Amino acid sequence: MELLDGRLVSAQILQQLTEQVERLRAAGKRPPHLVAMLIGHNGASETYVASKIRRCAEVGYDSTLIRFEESVSEGEVLAKIAEINNDPGIDGLIVQLPLPAHIDPHKVTIAIDPMKDVDGFHPENFGRVAKGLGGFIAATPLGILRLLEHYQIQTAGAHAVVLGRSQIVGLPMSVLLQRSTRTGNATVTLCHSRTRNLAEVTRSADILIAAIGQPGFVTADMVKKGAVVIDVGLTRVEDSSKKAGFRLAGDVDFATVAPKCSYITPVPGGVGLMTICGLLENTMRAYDGKSRQLKAAE
Ligand code: GUN
């Protein structure tokens, strides 16, 4: 069993981005600028946004955090998005999810200029990616593709099973893995809460991607020997032995599943770090105006 090491791969990608920013500065150009919008005080969202802003500083990007109280109106949020869309000094905009119940996430997503949508959540970007027309790939799926690339995991002809149909991870991941690309050409099964005989399906997976947010859901009996297991789960679980009072738990019961795998991502130290890389990679593409340009691998 080998670890798919998000620390190692993300450090390499962040180093490349840092060097790109240094070249821009040396040429007298401004660095890329990412704006993150955070509404309310959800603990996990606070942590994620803080690490996105911190990573921007590490690679030399400019970043701005815009905060709204939980009580902000949908109209105010949409007006701020329009303002950012029209600001040529801003390359990327993300609105951290989940949103308070009175704000429609679809309206917010659609309001973001697709060229600045570095989360890749806008239907135009999702549609472009699905049709192989370029466009921003959502940050977590992009990070997973980078892990698969780095470890030269053979996706072509493999049975890839995606657990969870979220708009952020499961759905785009299932679309990406079936595309005719270097990290695609898999036979994909997308499983969800209504899937029958789930363990039977997951046991036939050569590549299993768990993205349901239920700690320890995937147990050893659900995994084929030699499978590649990617754990997207990052749920806070109470743990009084930790200073923060919680630990982060993946969807996979690592202790029992890992010995059966050829490769597996740890939590933490796996996909979470790659998500931020995906975001920063997208922000550089937005800056370059290359979001729609197909790369050789695509
Ligand atoms: N909430 C959980 N993951 C994400 C993400 O990748 N982007 C945003 N904007 N919100 C999230």
Side-chain angles (χ1 to χ4, degrees):
M1 182 276 293
E2 193 178 339
L3 284 182
L4 296 168
D5 187 349
R7 267 182 235 287
L8 175 84
V9 182
S10 68
Q12 284 182 4
I13 293 173
L14 294 181
Q15 179 59 32
Q16 285 164 10
L17 293 172
T18 306
E19 287 166 15
Q20 263 175 281
V21 174
E22 280 164 5
R23 283 197 292 276
L24 289 171
R25 286 194 195 272
K29 297 191 178 134
R30 72 166 177 85
H33 183 179
L34 174 70
V35 172
M37 202 183 281
L38 177 58
I39 303 171
H41 297 274
N42 176 300
S45 293
E46 295 263 4
T47 311
Y48 295 146
V49 169
S51 47
K52 288 171 186 178
I53 297 286
R54 196 172 56 242
R55 294 280 178 213
C56 278
E58 280 173 22
V59 297
Y61 289 7
D62 287 337
S63 65
T64 305
L65 171 58
I66 297 176
R67 300 198 64 131
F68 286 113
E69 282 306 318
E70 187 95 17
S71 57
V72 69
S73 72
E74 191 178 78
E76 279 175 87
V77 172
L78 295 177
K80 193 68 186 173
I81 291 172
E83 195 184 300
I84 294 166
N85 284 344
N86 290 317
D87 185 337
I90 297 170
D91 308 294
L93 166 63
I94 60 164
V95 179
Q96 190 65 25
L97 305 175
L99 297 173
H102 66 280
I103 300 179
D104 181 349
H106 296 296
K107 270 196 200 163
V108 166
T109 307
I110 290 171
I112 297 173
D113 177 351
M115 303 294 278
K116 296 192 179 188
D117 169 40
V118 287
D119 258 333
F121 294 167
H122 193 288
E124 182 174 322
N125 280 314
F126 179 70
R128 282 181 167 274
V129 168
K131 288 168 93 60
L133 297 174
F136 288 115
I137 296 174
T140 301
L142 178 57
I144 294 171
L145 294 186
R146 293 288 174 254
L147 269 183
L148 295 173
E149 270 173 1
H150 180 93
Y151 287 92
Q152 297 179 7
I153 306 288
Q154 277 302 319
T155 53
H159 183 205
V161 173
V162 180
L163 266 182
R165 57 183 154 185
S166 72
Q167 307 257 322
I168 296 180
V169 185
L171 180 61
M173 202 65 235
S174 69
V175 166
L176 287 161
L177 286 165
Q178 57 76 46
R179 297 194 313 173
S180 178
T181 61
R182 202 169 58 198
T183 49
N185 288 308
T187 304
V188 182
T189 304
L190 180 57
C191 298
H192 46 77
S193 52
R194 304 288 286 271
T195 298
R196 263 190 238 135
N197 304 325
L198 182 66
E200 214 170 282
V201 180
T202 58
R203 265 199 301 275
S204 73
D206 302 304
I207 300 172
L208 179 61
I209 301 188
I212 50 174
Q214 293 189 39
F217 182 89
V218 176
T219 46
D221 59 301
M222 297 169 73
V223 177
K224 177 163 80 176
K225 197 164 180 305
V228 176
V229 174
I230 309 241
D231 189 350
V232 186
L234 212 57
T235 307
R236 289 179 169 201
V237 175
E238 255 183 61
D239 186 341
S240 55
S241 74
K242 301 278 178 204
K243 203 165 69 186
F246 66 85
R247 66 187 157 81
L248 292 174
D251 289 345
V252 176
D253 181 32
F254 187 89
T256 60
V257 171
K260 291 185 87 172
C261 299
S262 57
Y263 292 92
I264 186 168
T265 57
V267 176
V271 173
L273 296 168
M274 297 306 300
T275 293
I276 298 190
C277 273
L279 176 67
L280 296 185
E281 201 181 303
N282 279 342
T283 304
M284 183 60 89
R285 284 187 99 177
Y287 174 90
D288 286 338
K290 287 185 182 162
S291 69
R292 291 174 181 178
Q293 192 170 307
L294 289 170
K295 289 191 195 162
E298 295 165 14

